[in-house]
Amino acid sequence: MGKSIVKLSILDYVPIFEGRSATDAINHAVALAQLSEQLGYQRYWIAEHHQVLSVASSAPEMLMMSLLENTTSIKIGSGGIMLPHYSAYKVAEIFKVMEARHPNRVNIGTGHSPSYKNVNQALNEFKSEQPDYLTQIKDLIHYFNDDTDSNHRYKDLRATPIIETKPDMFILGTSKTSATLAAKQGLSFVIANMGQNKNQIQSVINHYRWLFKQYHPAKQSYVIMSSFVITATDASQRESLAHAFHLWLLRINYLDQPKFYPSTSYAAQRKYSSRELEKIEQHQNRVIVGSPDEVISKLKLMMTDFDIDEIMIQPHVFGEENRKSLLNLLSKANA
């Protein structure tokens, strides 16, 4: 695998910027996906977040169809569908409809985060039992393959429409449990690099690669790593964007979470407590900040250090033009 050019993709939270609406955020996501396609990015994925007021990504599959309709070649996916909240059968139907409309372009990344307690309760009301994640993954494979031969609980049930192609499946996770599930099922693995212990990340990836080879010696394992990145043409602009990002990250898990992604001017004027400054310092290694060349160099090093096939950047910075510029600058630096 050549490492001179990084294989780059996008993971979008669909941020709602200060002074903007959810409509603006979604329209911007469409424009950003179109730009990503023009620049040659591999895929454009939408995250799933519930009760996070500053993002518009509560229903990734809805946004995916809009992105598919407004692009022609880039892979569009979920990063990811939190599968235990839903019926695997219904998820299969939704993704098969998208695949029928846009063959060979649909990705489904799945995770199993429970989200906030009240979100989990609301999404799972009336359920008599919580589904097992492994069972749901096997169910999806069953439905996507139109498999009526194997001994499945719903052996004669087919997810419609019946189509000739199927969505590409990916497992999201940071643990050996998720890596094991992906490896045994022969699926690609997506791991976030959010400042965890480097040896821990390496151990999970090595485990996935080794186990995949044991179960699927004729197939090739595939690992995508995601990371927040911030870049701009000058250092002061990068610093301003980083301040706004860290303010958003600082407040996102608090009860009084932000109702929007803070502007660079708002972040610059805000006063911070010593405790907040400590937390911001702890979060520094959760994002890659630098000039376009520096960021690409760090991403190349990440690919080499962790033996990664693809990097999924999270361009989670303030402002539509700043996000477009980030994608342009990294594409140019990666050429």
Side-chain angles (χ1 to χ4, degrees), residues 205-224:
I205 293 171
N206 289 345
H207 176 73
Y208 164 77
R209 297 278 198 197
W210 177 82
L211 199 60
F212 191 106
K213 201 168 187 177
Q214 307 307 307
Y215 279 83
H216 309 278
K219 286 181 68 177
Q220 188 66 46
S221 59
Y222 198 84
V223 179
I224 300 176

Side-chain angles (χ1 to χ4, degrees), residues 10-299:
I10 310 293
L11 174 59
D12 191 4
Y13 284 24
V14 195
I16 303 171
F17 300 130
E18 181 181 338
R20 297 285 195 266
S21 66
T23 302
D24 295 326
I26 293 168
N27 289 341
H28 171 54
V30 171
L32 207 63
Q34 291 171 331
L35 176 62
S36 300
E37 180 171 83
Q38 292 166 19
L39 294 172
Y41 284 84
Q42 304 291 315
R43 55 189 104 236
Y44 196 104
W45 283 13
I46 300 293
E48 178 180 331
H49 291 290
H50 302 281
Q51 201 167 292
V52 179
L53 308 181
S54 55
V55 303
S57 54
S58 54
E61 64 275 36
M62 296 293 290
L63 294 172
M64 281 177 62
M65 186 57 115
S66 187
L67 297 181
L68 285 161
E69 294 289 292
N70 286 282
T71 54
T72 57
S73 59
I74 191 171
K75 309 277 189 184
I76 301 294
S78 59
I81 297 296
M82 293 302 122
L83 199 53
H85 292 318
Y86 313 114
S87 151
Y89 183 61
K90 183 59 179 174
V91 170
E93 288 182 322
I94 291 169
F95 276 79
K96 288 186 83 171
V97 166
M98 285 192 282
E99 179 70 17
R101 173 74 172 141
H102 299 280
N104 299 308
R105 291 187 58 210
V106 178
N107 292 172
I108 175 169
T110 62
H112 58 110
S113 168
S115 191
Y116 299 109
K117 185 179 179 181
N118 57 353
V119 168
N120 192 47
Q121 289 173 337
L123 286 172
N124 290 280
E125 63 180 349
F126 308 124
K127 287 184 182 174
S128 57
E129 57 184 281
Q130 190 75 14
D132 174 72
Y133 185 45
L134 172 58
T135 300
Q136 287 195 296
I137 293 297
K138 288 181 175 179
D139 286 350
L140 279 183
I141 293 171
H142 170 81
Y143 296 135
F144 287 151
N145 288 329
D146 293 318
D147 179 9
T148 56
D149 296 323
S150 63
N151 187 22
H152 186 265
R153 339 180 253 134
Y154 301 114
K155 186 175 183 298
D156 298 321
L157 181 63
R158 303 182 78 178
T160 53
I162 306 301
I163 53 179
E164 293 183 0
T165 59
K166 60 186 177 182
D168 283 336
M169 291 180 65
F170 301 75
I171 299 293
L172 282 61
T174 55
S175 68
K176 284 189 177 178
T177 302
S178 296
T180 297
L181 192 158
K184 286 185 175 180
Q185 300 305 316
L187 303 175
S188 299
F189 184 54
V190 184
I191 186 166
N193 188 343
M194 298 290 184
Q196 312 98 299
N197 179 280
K198 183 177 176 180
N199 292 333
Q200 168 68 16
I201 299 175
Q202 189 65 71
S203 175
V204 171
I205 293 171
N206 289 345
H207 176 73
Y208 164 77
R209 297 278 198 197
W210 177 82
L211 199 60
F212 191 106
K213 201 168 187 177
Q214 307 307 307
Y215 279 83
H216 309 278
K219 286 181 68 177
Q220 188 66 46
S221 59
Y222 198 84
V223 179
I224 300 176
M225 179 169 279
S226 69
S227 180
F228 288 113
V229 298
I230 296 175
T231 195
T233 48
D234 66 90
S236 62
Q237 176 73 344
R238 295 193 290 270
E239 191 175 335
S240 294
L241 292 173
H243 280 160
F245 168 79
H246 281 293
L247 177 56
W248 176 83
L249 192 61
L250 179 72
R251 302 301 308 172
I252 199 65
N253 289 316
Y254 285 20
L255 285 174
D256 58 337
Q257 62 168 281
K259 293 180 175 61
F260 50 77
Y261 189 111
S263 66
T264 51
S265 57
Y266 178 90
Q269 294 165 11
R270 192 182 183 279
K271 304 299 181 188
Y272 296 88
S273 69
S274 56
R275 175 64 181 141
E276 285 178 327
L277 290 172
E278 282 177 22
K279 294 201 80 170
I280 288 172
E281 186 59 36
Q282 291 166 9
H283 289 162
Q284 293 296 333
N285 61 353
R286 294 188 65 177
V287 57
I288 296 171
V289 184
S291 69
D293 287 338
E294 287 170 341
V295 170
I296 289 297
S297 292
K298 289 176 181 178
L299 294 180

